[in-house]
């Protein structure tokens, strides 16, 4: 028999569920099991350093030692680094949201040009913002372009990029510094997704609080209780076997050049009386008569015919790079690495995919499929980080018109603007990235001559009003 006792203590259902939420639950040491001193979440104890995968250093070595990996990452990071960032104020929130959606969903350079029309109504540049100085010179030894190249480069190599914001005593950001991601470790706050700070493991710096670090990363499906989900997944991890195959092919080619043994065996037919003495004499005569000799840098004996006094045979001792299909393997490797990074192999001297039209389209494709998503990620991270410092209705954005590949589409945009009478001349100048003109008439809407309101046009076409309009050629309606 059970007896229920009524108490005055009550717990809200939301509090009860919150206590069971593993994303909010702190890890604590499991004292009851000395053999497993880690937390309930296997090490997610507040303040514990979660060291990244040691493969990060290997990925850096792959970038430094593999020409295909270097070329792809270098091209992407260098292209992104040329894009300037500025501070803007939001004029129209509806147009602003539409502009952001158009940029995020752009699939062609024509889409980017059309987004410029919306941008004119959405935002305008704030030239006197202190953040503009930081976006021009983020620290004393780097320009913003160099900072961007480092930032994007580390992300493409290791899947993570860390930008430390060095603050003054008043809390204002004085400089931005990119940290080498292979030496940065995350400090857990005790929850599955929480970050308390970061530590620079190379020199043993003091811990950096999370509020002072901008962490850019790729999606990582490796979700475990050791905190690996807090780190981004390196593209080179997905291409691990491809890069290894490329490295092995290059090592094989270099080894064949450095350790060239005899290419084969020249032997006499069994029917010949050809002993060691005759073999030695033939070898001596061969090198004397047909060995490499030059005159004025020209090989004199190239292509000459060997004359022997016996029937000879040849036994090949090795395979050439062509026979081993090393060259074909490297082409396949290049294309696979390009697929991983989302770029076209035509940009990297693929002999089977190299025409002018392919190059032209490949450059445009890289802008929309690779460069633009990275720029959007950087822009959103900067706006999240500097949101409180900038204040409401202030926005950091990038300028894509620096790319020559957009000029054809900008010509199309110019044609659209010339027909868009409802846009003021100054708005058209801003859309084409020109300065506005301080003239009141440049902010007015000019209606093309000859345009009439639709009501007046209807009256002219109504036979009942024909005589009132002075059109006596149309008989009145009785």
């Amino acid at each position: 028999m059970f007896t229920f006792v009524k108490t005055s203590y009550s717990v809200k259902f939301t509090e009860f569920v919150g206590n069971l939420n593993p994303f909010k639950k702190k890890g604590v040491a499991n004292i009851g099991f000395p053999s497993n001193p880690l937390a309930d979440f296997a090490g997610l104890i507040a303040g514990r350093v979660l060291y990244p995968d040691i493969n990060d250093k290997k990925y850096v070595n792959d970038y430094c030692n593999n020409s295909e990996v270097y070329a792809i990452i270098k091209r992407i990071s260098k292209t992104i680094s040329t894009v300037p960032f500025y501070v803007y104020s939001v004029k129209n929130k509806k147009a602003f949201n539409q502009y952001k959606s158009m940029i995020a969903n752009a699939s062609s350079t024509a889409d980017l040009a059309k987004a410029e029309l919306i941008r004119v109504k959405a935002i305008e540049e704030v030239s006197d913002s202190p953040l503009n100085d930081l976006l021009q010179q983020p620290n004393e030894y780097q320009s913003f372009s160099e900072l961007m190249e480092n930032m994007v480069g580390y992300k493409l190599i290791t899947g993570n990029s860390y930008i430390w914001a060095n603050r003054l005593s008043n809390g204002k950001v004085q400089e931005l510094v990119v940290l080498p991601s292979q030496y940065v470790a995350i400090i857990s706050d005790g929850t599955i997704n929480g970050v308390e700070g970061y530590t620079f493991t190379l020199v043993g710096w003091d811990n950096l609080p999370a509020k002072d670090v901008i962490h850019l990363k790729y999606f990582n499906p490796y979700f475990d209780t050791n905190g690996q989900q807090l780190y981004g997944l390196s593209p080179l991890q997905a291409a691990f076997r491809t890069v290894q195959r490329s490295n092995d092919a290059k090592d094989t080619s270099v080894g064949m050049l450095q350790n060239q043994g005899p290419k084969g065996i020249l032997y006499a037919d069994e029917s010949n009386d050809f002993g060691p003495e005759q073999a030695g004499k033939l070898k001596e005569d061969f090198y004397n008569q047909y060995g490499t000799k030059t005159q004025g840098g020209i090989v004199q004996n190239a292509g000459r015919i060997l004359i022997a006094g016996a029937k000879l045979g040849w036994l090949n001792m090795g395979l050439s790079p062509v026979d081993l299909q090393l060259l074909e393997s490297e082409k396949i490797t290049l294309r696979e690495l390009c697929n991983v990074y989302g770029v076209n192999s035509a940009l990297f001297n693929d002999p089977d995919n190299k025409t002018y039209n392919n190059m032209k389209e490949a450059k445009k494709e890289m802008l929309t499929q690779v460069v633009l998503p990275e720029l959007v990620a950087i822009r959103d991270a900067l706006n999240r980080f500097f949101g409180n410092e900038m204040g409401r209705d202030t926005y950091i954005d990038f300028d894509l018109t620096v790319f020559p590949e957009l000029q054809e589409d900008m010509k199309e945009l110019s044609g659209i603007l010339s027909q868009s009478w409802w846009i003021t001349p100054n708005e058209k100048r801003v859309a084409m990235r020109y300065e506005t003109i301080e003239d009141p008439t440049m902010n007015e809407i000019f209606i093309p001559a000859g345009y009439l309101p639709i009501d007046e046009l209807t009256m002219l076409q109504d036979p009942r009003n024909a005589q009132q309009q002075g059109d006596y050629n149309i008989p009145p309606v009785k």
Side-chain angles (χ1 to χ4, degrees):
M1 182 176 181
F2 298 94
T3 304
F4 295 92
V5 179
K6 184 177 180 181
T7 65
S8 60
Y9 178 76
S10 63
V11 179
K12 293 182 178 179
F13 178 74
T14 54
E15 294 178 356
F16 175 75
V17 174
N19 291 331
L20 298 178
N21 189 346
F23 293 92
K24 296 182 179 180
K25 183 178 179 181
K26 297 283 186 178
V28 294
N30 195 338
I31 302 176
F33 298 90
S35 61
N36 181 20
L38 300 179
D40 290 342
F41 300 135
L44 289 179
I45 302 173
R48 181 176 182 267
V49 178
L50 307 173
Y51 290 98
D53 195 327
I54 59 174
N55 281 337
D56 282 354
K57 295 180 182 178
K58 177 193 179 301
Y59 303 146
V60 173
N61 289 334
D62 287 337
Y63 172 77
C64 296
N65 299 318
N66 187 292
S67 58
E68 282 85 5
V69 173
Y70 174 86
I72 294 172
I73 293 177
K74 181 70 174 180
R75 179 154 198 150
I76 297 174
S77 59
K78 198 69 177 178
T79 302
I80 294 175
S81 71
T82 61
V83 180
F85 280 69
Y86 302 104
V87 179
Y88 298 87
S89 63
V90 178
K91 296 189 300 182
N92 185 314
K93 288 188 176 181
K94 183 178 180 180
F96 174 63
N97 291 331
Q98 184 181 1
Y99 163 69
K100 288 199 301 181
S101 297
M102 291 183 69
I103 286 291
N105 297 318
S107 59
S108 67
T109 51
D111 293 338
L112 297 178
K114 293 175 183 178
E116 289 295 310
L117 289 174
I118 308 299
R119 187 190 66 83
V120 172
K121 294 184 177 182
I123 57 179
E124 62 181 354
E125 186 177 348
V126 181
S127 57
D128 58 349
S129 173
L131 273 178
N132 279 326
D133 296 333
L134 194 64
L135 295 176
Q136 291 295 320
Q137 188 76 34
N139 54 63
E140 61 181 0
Y141 57 89
Q142 277 185 320
S143 65
F144 189 72
S145 176
E146 293 172 315
L147 182 98
M148 286 276 287
E149 185 177 359
N150 291 0
M151 183 195 316
V152 176
Y154 278 119
K155 186 181 179 186
L156 293 172
I157 295 170
T158 66
N160 299 276
S161 186
Y162 305 92
I163 303 93
W164 172 48
N166 187 15
R167 300 180 185 271
L168 298 172
S169 57
N170 60 3
K172 295 292 184 181
V173 177
Q174 180 186 21
E175 60 179 1
L176 298 173
V177 180
V178 176
L179 303 176
S181 55
Q182 70 270 31
Y183 296 114
V184 176
I186 295 175
I187 303 173
S188 172
D189 71 348
T191 62
I192 290 181
N193 284 326
V195 176
E196 181 179 295
Y198 301 84
T199 181
F200 190 40
T201 61
L202 183 62
V203 294
W205 277 6
D206 292 336
N207 296 341
L208 304 173
K211 67 180 182 65
D212 291 341
V213 177
I214 302 174
H215 183 190
L216 296 167
K217 62 180 179 179
Y218 290 121
F219 164 69
N220 187 357
Y222 286 125
F223 194 99
D224 60 24
T225 54
N226 287 319
Q228 288 304 308
Q229 69 275 6
L230 301 178
Y231 294 94
L233 178 67
S234 169
L236 294 177
Q237 173 65 41
F240 189 92
R241 294 182 181 86
T242 301
V243 176
Q244 188 62 49
R245 184 179 65 210
S246 175
N247 291 339
D248 291 343
K250 294 179 188 300
D251 290 341
T252 300
S253 297
V254 172
M256 293 179 66
L257 292 173
Q258 291 181 341
N259 306 313
Q260 293 189 54
K263 295 183 179 299
I265 299 175
L266 183 67
Y267 63 91
D269 190 88
E270 294 179 355
S271 61
N272 296 300
D273 185 11
F274 203 78
E277 184 177 349
Q278 288 83 358
K281 184 67 169 60
L282 178 63
K283 178 180 179 181
E284 183 179 352
D285 290 343
F286 174 80
Y287 283 109
N288 286 337
Q289 297 297 323
Y290 306 102
T292 302
K293 295 179 182 180
T294 61
Q295 182 177 347
I298 301 175
V299 178
Q300 298 297 307
N301 293 335
R304 289 192 176 184
I305 301 173
L306 171 65
I307 300 175
K311 185 178 180 181
L312 304 177
W314 174 259
L315 179 63
N316 195 10
M317 293 285 290
L319 296 175
S320 68
V322 176
D323 295 328
L324 290 174
Q325 296 187 329
L326 293 179
L327 300 180
E328 187 66 26
S329 173
E330 290 196 7
K331 286 195 294 186
I332 296 173
T333 297
L334 171 64
R335 293 166 189 167
E336 289 183 0
L337 287 172
C338 287
N339 285 338
V340 169
Y341 282 101
V343 293
N344 195 308
S345 62
L347 298 173
F348 303 95
N349 298 318
D350 185 347
D352 300 330
N353 188 27
K354 192 178 180 182
T355 65
Y356 175 77
N357 288 333
N358 285 349
M359 288 285 291
K360 184 179 178 182
E361 293 304 317
K363 289 179 179 179
K364 287 187 175 184
E365 183 183 26
M366 189 181 78
L367 288 182
T368 56
Q369 303 303 316
V370 180
V371 172
L372 184 60
E374 294 292 345
L375 287 171
V376 169
I378 295 171
R379 178 198 67 187
D380 293 346
L382 291 175
N383 281 297
R384 284 195 305 269
F385 189 82
F386 290 105
N388 294 332
E389 191 168 327
M390 292 189 300
R392 293 185 60 186
D393 298 331
T394 307
Y395 190 70
I396 297 175
D397 200 17
F398 47 80
D399 181 4
L400 284 175
T401 57
V402 297
F403 293 119
E405 292 79 11
L406 290 176
Q407 295 310 310
E408 292 183 7
D409 299 294
M410 293 303 290
K411 290 180 181 178
E412 180 182 347
L413 174 63
S414 177
I416 296 174
L417 288 173
S418 66
Q419 302 296 323
S420 304
W421 57 264
W422 55 89
I423 301 177
T424 67
N426 265 340
E427 287 177 334
K428 294 178 181 179
R429 290 181 63 86
V430 172
M432 298 299 296
R433 299 290 178 168
Y434 291 111
E435 295 290 334
T436 58
I437 297 177
E438 297 297 331
D439 185 342
T441 59
M442 294 296 288
N443 294 316
E444 295 182 4
I445 296 176
F446 289 82
I447 300 177
Y451 280 36
L452 294 174
I454 193 171
D455 291 341
E456 294 184 16
L457 183 64
T458 303
M459 291 179 63
L460 286 174
Q461 294 178 343
D462 191 341
R464 289 171 295 186
N465 297 323
Q467 290 183 342
Q468 297 178 10
Q469 300 294 330
D471 189 351
Y472 297 100
N473 294 322
I474 304 177
V477 178
K478 297 181 179 180

